[in-house]
Amino acid sequence: MNHNDYLSTLNEPQREAVLHGNGPLMIIAGAGSGKTRVLTYRIARLIETGVDPFRILSLTFTNKASGEMRSRIEGAVGTEARNIWMGTFHSVFAKILRIEARYLGYTSDFSIYDTDDSKSLLRSIIKEYNLDDKVYKANVVFNRISGAKNRLISADDYINNAIIQQDDEAAKMKEIGRLYKTYATRCFQANAMDFDDLLFNTNVLFRDFPDVLYKYQHKFQHVMVDEFQDTNVSQYLITRKLSAVHRNIVVVGDDAQSIYAFRGANIENILNFEKDFPDVRVIKLEQNYRSTSTIVNAANSVIARNKSQLEKHTFTSNEEGSLIDVIKAGSDNEEGRLIATAIFEEKMQKALRNEHFAILYRTNAQSRSFEEALRKLGIKYRIVGGQSFYQRKEIKDLLAYLRFTVNQRDEEAFKRIINLPKRGIGDTTVAKIAVTASENNVAIWDVVANINQYGTGRTIAPIEGFGTLIKSFKILVEEGKDAYEISSHIAKASGILRELYEDKTVEGLSRYENVQELLNGIKEFVDSDETEDKSLSAFLQSVSLLTNADEPDDNNDHDRVTMMTIHSAKGLEFRNVFIVGLEEDLFPSQMMLESRQDLEEERRLFYVAITRAEKKLSFSYAESRYQWGRLKMCEPSRFLLEVEQKYLNVNKMVQSALERDTTPPVTTFARNLVQRKTEAKPAVTAATSHVPSADFVPTDTFDLAEGDKVEHLKFGFGVVTKMDVNGTDRKATVKFDLVGEKTLLLSFAKLRVMK
DNA sequence: CGAAAATGCGTTTTT
DNA sequence: CGCATTTTCG
């Protein structure tokens, strides 16, 4: 593509950003202001003007974002784009650490501990120290350690820091420093890094080994950081060091969209940047091309309440668009039904596809009621995040085998697989092995591999069997077999596949399929011509850093309603967006209100959610919510009042309150639930058992006939007694169980037919 | 040692 | 309530 072709499509500040030559640049890019285009064009242009792609480092927020950007650049400049160093902070620096591992005393096969591994390791350490695990909760301890690492505080720093120690003592957890120290040692002994270590150790690497720093400083001629507002100190320091020589650093961010302070992101990075690079040029992208003016203005009216923000005026010249609907529901289930119906109707009226819709919520747990309602209407959906594929037990089990095959020091992987499938090696035996190992001052694997030398009693046989098994896997690695050959062999030889295959329950079947799917994924990884290193350890590295937005795009089946948390929605856009669960204590979240005085981050989160919508936005809230088996009464969120009211359409609110006859009034609803708790399982089940097991399917063909069974959203189940067809008009008379005979002009949005 | 029973905790958000 | 971890018992 010729420069001028794309340059002519840009506005003035966008063009300036693309054409900016050398030296530091900060782009403050409002939501929907075309920042991805700017970044893409800028990189394409660098390559066209002769910069070697190998010398461009581009850090993005998700692997998906980087993949998309890479393919767009590829479209402009060709396959050269593949050579750009592009990815998340974690993946790029894991790659560098892998190359330079020996400087830090790791091998390049180091394991990456996910949060579960970390917490499980902490749990064992807490236990070993005989600390009360009700005081020292793995979760809390982990968060403390993680916070410290993100501020580049090592275990020793932590112990020697008077202020931190005071804090911990006040919280009655003065042992955290010791736990941190042991945790770090154990990770190191296991040849493992957790997520935070990937950044922490990169800092250590660059701090302690100037030669290595020198190499990368000179290598990367251009450094680009997307979503700069969400970087933490550790990340910022890395980029600052890397760009210290060439000083070609471009950061792109929007302080109004900073939503990761809880994991150490620091808006002050934006201010520090101006201090560290006094000659920085600042370009503001303020025109929104994404959303209607109603949406842009509503979003601005929300964020205007925040005190701390950079001066910026976002505007749009797009059409006004429709008002924001506010939908009130009696319960979380009704909220699900109302949204699902709204999607159905909007889809039909405007001839839209499923993929035009997104439902955004504050917490993953809210997805349930929407899933059920959408499924009932036969609307396809996908859930981003939540329990991801890679967190499933069977997947983690196989991955643990793979990890242990590559790295026998991986303590967490060992614990997972030593008795899986059951081979008669229980906790006591494992503890014995650990004791033997430390008595003889050797690694656990050494004991397992040579159990005959250390041998005790009758548990020798299974241990030896396990050792032989792993040894046979190791041989495959040494022979240089690729990741797929090795993993498919391990899946079979370990007995994991067999065990799942023999489990004939529904869950067992789906687990078996999941393992197969993982194997398919590995095959794809190996077969892809973009994969240079096809080894098992390369695969493991790539897989452990997948973001929850990186789930495999299912079989070309894109046309689905997307459901996800607002956090996951960052960087995405949808024609129609529903922001649901707008209730006080849920959004804004109670925890946020407790732990911090100000609501600013929650408000920014709301801002992010609003600005995902292109044409049409809806809010919803429920008056009651089923939580932990109890009914909780909810109040509308203060955020509903923080949006300038002239952008809201509250008609639907009244309407839905009037129509709310699918759900009993809240009082009876509550009573039913109470009854259900005390008396075994009464009447309520009668109503549910009425649901036929064969699935109802939605119809958009009106092909009703006498005798068909139908379900109407308001009136419940019924049978068609009479059909009147008059040209294109169809009238059905239906006898409903609940309300008797009704004549319907077919409003198919509310009617489903049983096949 | 492993299966069954009892306990207990959780819902912020994610790399 | 539902899942995960811990305790109990055969």
Side-chain angles (χ1 to χ4, degrees):
Chain A
M1 173 157 46
N2 182 314
H3 302 175
N4 299 323
D5 286 349
Y6 55 79
L7 285 180
S8 64
T9 66
L10 300 176
N11 68 20
E12 193 45 38
Q14 288 177 328
R15 186 158 37 227
E16 262 183 65
V18 170
L19 294 176
H20 170 83
N22 289 335
L25 169 67
M26 176 156 69
I27 303 172
I28 304 293
S33 62
K35 92 183 164 176
T36 309
R37 281 176 79 207
V38 167
L39 269 180
T40 312
Y41 291 163
R42 182 172 166 77
I43 295 176
R45 189 170 167 281
L46 286 177
I47 295 175
E48 281 175 349
T49 54
V51 177
D52 183 348
F54 276 112
R55 302 189 62 183
I56 299 175
L57 172 63
S58 170
L59 298 164
T60 54
F61 197 70
T62 61
N63 293 303
K64 195 171 205 170
S66 83
E68 255 162 47
M69 198 182 289
R70 193 192 297 269
S71 70
R72 281 166 74 167
I73 299 171
E74 208 173 309
V77 300
T79 54
E80 264 194 299
R82 288 190 190 167
N83 297 328
I84 304 169
W85 279 67
M86 195 183 276
T88 62
F89 272 91
H90 292 260
S91 67
V92 166
F93 295 112
K95 193 166 160 190
I96 289 180
L97 283 170
R98 217 174 157 223
I99 300 170
E100 315 294 346
R102 66 202 153 87
Y103 285 99
L104 297 173
Y106 284 84
T107 77
S108 64
D109 290 331
F110 66 83
S111 298
I112 296 174
Y113 276 1
D114 67 15
T115 313
D116 287 344
D117 294 322
S118 300
K119 285 180 186 165
S120 140
L121 175 54
L122 276 170
R123 254 189 295 275
S124 4
I125 297 173
I126 290 167
K127 200 176 236 176
E128 286 162 27
Y129 279 6
N130 286 318
L131 294 171
D132 183 352
D133 58 6
K134 295 203 172 60
V135 179
Y136 291 89
K137 292 186 181 164
N139 232 326
V140 177
V141 178
F142 176 76
N143 286 333
R144 286 291 283 183
I145 295 177
S146 169
K149 279 185 188 163
N150 285 328
R151 284 175 290 148
L152 293 181
I153 297 168
S154 70
D156 288 329
D157 296 341
Y158 191 100
I159 292 167
N160 294 323
N161 184 314
I163 297 172
I164 295 177
Q165 288 309 313
Q166 267 172 23
D167 267 13
D168 280 355
E169 253 169 74
K172 302 229 176 348
M173 294 194 284
K174 59 182 163 64
E175 299 296 332
I176 291 186
R178 219 169 102 216
L179 294 171
Y180 181 4
K181 177 103 188 172
T182 309
Y183 172 77
T185 313
R186 288 279 273 279
C187 285
F188 182 72
Q189 284 170 348
N191 195 25
M193 298 191 199
D194 66 19
F195 288 136
D196 301 316
D197 286 334
L198 293 173
L199 304 173
F200 186 90
N201 286 337
T202 304
N203 271 293
V204 173
L205 179 74
F206 289 161
R207 183 195 65 200
D208 295 348
F209 302 93
D211 292 357
V212 180
L213 175 60
Y214 182 92
K215 180 167 121 192
Y216 289 100
Q217 276 178 331
H218 284 81
K219 175 185 177 62
F220 295 127
Q221 215 174 337
H222 289 269
V223 176
M224 260 160 267
V225 185
D226 195 6
E227 308 283 8
F228 186 62
Q229 76 281 357
D230 289 326
T231 54
N232 60 36
V233 173
S234 181
Q235 292 167 319
Y236 175 57
L237 289 182
I238 294 173
T239 48
R240 196 180 74 185
K241 276 184 182 166
L242 280 178
S243 52
V245 169
H246 294 292
R247 295 179 56 80
N248 294 326
I249 178 166
V250 179
V251 300
V252 190
D254 178 7
D255 59 304
Q257 295 185 67
S258 163
I259 55 174
Y260 281 99
F262 72 89
R263 88 175 185 217
N266 195 343
I267 312 192
E268 295 197 354
N269 282 343
I270 292 185
L271 306 173
N272 285 334
F273 192 78
E274 292 187 286
K275 243 183 271 165
D276 291 336
F277 298 92
D279 53 331
V280 63
R281 180 170 176 198
V282 179
I283 295 176
K284 293 182 182 175
L285 305 180
E286 297 174 307
Q287 180 166 4
N288 180 309
Y289 294 96
R290 177 186 296 155
S291 316
T292 65
S293 70
T294 301
I295 292 168
V296 172
N297 293 337
N300 283 340
S301 75
V302 166
I303 206 69
R305 293 172 184 263
N306 275 0
K307 296 206 175 65
S308 65
Q309 52 184 322
L310 299 180
E311 199 184 319
K312 180 160 40 84
H313 173 69
T314 56
F315 67 98
T316 187
S317 51
N318 290 348
E319 55 168 4
E320 190 181 327
S322 49
L323 292 176
I324 302 168
D325 285 340
V326 179
I327 300 167
K328 174 166 105 173
S331 66
D332 46 356
N333 287 326
E334 191 191 14
E335 185 185 34
R337 286 195 295 270
L338 290 175
I339 302 293
T341 315
I343 291 178
F344 200 127
E345 283 174 350
E346 179 87 354
K347 213 177 110 174
M348 289 303 169
Q349 276 172 25
K350 303 250 172 75
L352 300 175
R353 290 192 304 277
N354 291 333
E355 62 187 333
H356 287 129
F357 296 87
I359 300 173
L360 307 182
Y361 35 74
R362 178 67 233 266
T363 67
N364 279 306
Q366 286 165 255
S367 67
R368 199 209 81 250
S369 61
F370 301 100
E371 282 181 72
E372 282 171 10
L374 288 173
R375 213 172 14 233
K376 275 195 191 161
L377 289 190
I379 300 172
K380 287 192 171 179
Y381 61 86
R382 74 182 166 129
I383 295 180
V384 178
Q387 233 254 14
S388 96
F389 182 74
Y390 296 100
Q391 287 175 13
R392 289 164 202 264
K393 183 186 174 302
E394 63 276 17
I395 298 302
K396 294 194 75 164
D397 288 343
L398 179 53
L399 287 175
Y401 262 102
L402 304 181
R403 268 163 56 181
F404 195 70
T405 302
V406 165
N407 170 21
Q408 291 82 39
R409 280 150 63 190
D410 190 326
E411 183 182 341
E412 293 307 307
F414 176 76
K415 278 197 285 194
R416 237 193 139 84
I417 62 174
I418 178 66
N419 198 26
L420 189 127
K422 299 259 154 43
R423 46 169 75 86
I425 306 175
D427 292 345
T428 32
T429 315
V430 173
K432 255 186 223 164
I433 296 174
V435 170
T436 315
S438 65
E439 272 173 2
N440 292 282
N441 207 16
V442 294
I444 286 184
W445 168 244
D446 290 319
V447 178
V448 174
N450 308 298
I451 191 67
N452 284 317
Q453 289 173 31
Y454 302 96
T456 33
R458 52 204 169 290
T459 43
I460 287 189
I463 297 174
E464 196 178 13
F466 176 75
T468 318
L469 193 66
I470 298 296
K471 281 178 202 161
S472 73
F473 298 162
K474 278 179 69 179
I475 291 173
L476 298 178
V477 176
E478 280 152 21
E479 284 173 348
K481 295 255 194 308
D482 68 40
Y484 179 70
E485 293 173 291
I486 302 175
S487 355
S488 55
H489 177 257
I490 291 180
K492 279 180 226 130
S494 64
I496 287 190
L497 269 185
R498 189 171 358 102
E499 191 178 47
L500 294 176
Y501 184 74
E502 281 161 9
D503 183 352
K504 295 294 180 196
T505 61
V506 188
E507 302 87 45
L509 184 66
S510 104
R511 283 186 189 156
Y512 181 78
E513 283 167 356
N514 285 336
V515 172
Q516 290 294 358
E517 201 180 321
L518 176 63
L519 290 174
N520 289 339
I522 302 178
K523 178 126 184 67
E524 244 170 72
F525 171 85
V526 168
D527 289 346
S528 160
D529 33 322
E530 282 180 40
T531 314
E532 287 158 36
D533 185 350
K534 300 183 194 298
S535 72
L536 184 56
S537 72
F539 171 76
L540 287 173
Q541 296 264 332
S542 76
V543 90
S544 39
L545 293 169
L546 289 180
T547 317
N548 76 345
D550 297 327
E551 297 280 307
D553 260 343
D554 289 358
N555 34 322
N556 308 329
D557 202 359
H558 289 285
D559 188 27
R560 291 163 181 266
V561 173
T562 303
M563 289 194 260
M564 61 186 147
T565 62
I566 300 166
H567 281 87
S568 316
K570 189 155 66 124
L572 305 176
E573 56 190 16
F574 300 91
R575 189 189 188 285
N576 287 31
V577 169
F578 293 85
I579 302 173
V580 301
L582 275 163
E583 292 134 39
E584 202 60 17
D585 292 347
L586 182 59
F587 190 21
S589 121
Q590 187 175 23
M591 287 210 163
M592 198 54 113
L593 288 169
E594 281 166 9
S595 62
R596 303 169 49 133
Q597 297 245 306
D598 69 287
L599 273 175
E600 304 220 335
E601 179 153 325
E602 289 288 288
R603 212 175 265 132
R604 289 194 294 267
L605 197 56
F606 191 36
Y607 175 84
V608 168
I610 293 173
T611 52
R612 295 313 94 195
E614 293 169 350
K615 298 273 188 242
K616 170 89 191 149
L617 181 62
S618 311
F619 295 152
S620 76
Y621 70 94
E623 293 176 308
S624 68
R625 198 167 277 283
Y626 201 36
Q627 190 185 36
W628 299 339
R630 278 152 211 255
L631 192 76
K632 192 185 116 197
M633 295 301 166
C634 314
E635 281 181 16
S637 164
R638 71 181 77 186
F639 283 170
L640 283 172
L641 302 173
E642 291 193 356
V643 184
E644 251 188 83
Q645 300 296 300
K646 64 177 174 187
Y647 301 121
L648 300 183
N649 168 26
V650 289
N651 286 346
K652 282 228 172 153
M653 196 160 127
V654 182
Q655 203 182 318
S656 82
L658 295 175
E659 284 180 355
R660 203 184 57 215
D661 56 0
T662 38
T663 315
V666 174
T667 43
T668 36
F669 188 54
R671 205 175 310 127
N672 280 344
L673 288 165
V674 173
Q675 278 175 1
R676 188 148 52 146
K677 279 231 90 136
T678 45
E679 313 162 11
K681 288 227 173 183
V684 184
T685 35
T688 24
S689 69
H690 184 86
V691 180
S693 59
D695 272 337
F696 276 93
V697 295
T699 172
D700 38 21
T701 58
F702 302 95
D703 272 336
L704 280 186
E706 281 180 24
D708 276 347
K709 286 185 186 161
V710 299
E711 186 193 2
H712 188 276
L713 281 184
K714 264 171 83 174
F715 306 131
F717 298 98
V719 179
V720 179
T721 52
K722 204 171 139 216
M723 279 299 299
D724 286 320
V725 182
N726 190 351
T728 53
D729 290 335
R730 279 149 195 255
K731 218 162 49 175
T733 308
V734 184
K735 185 152 188 265
F736 289 101
D737 297 353
L738 295 177
V739 290
E741 285 214 336
K742 287 268 172 187
T743 305
L744 302 173
L745 288 172
L746 284 185
S747 149
F748 49 84
K750 293 193 172 162
L751 193 68
R752 295 179 299 115
V753 183
M754 190 176 145
K755 260 228 160 92

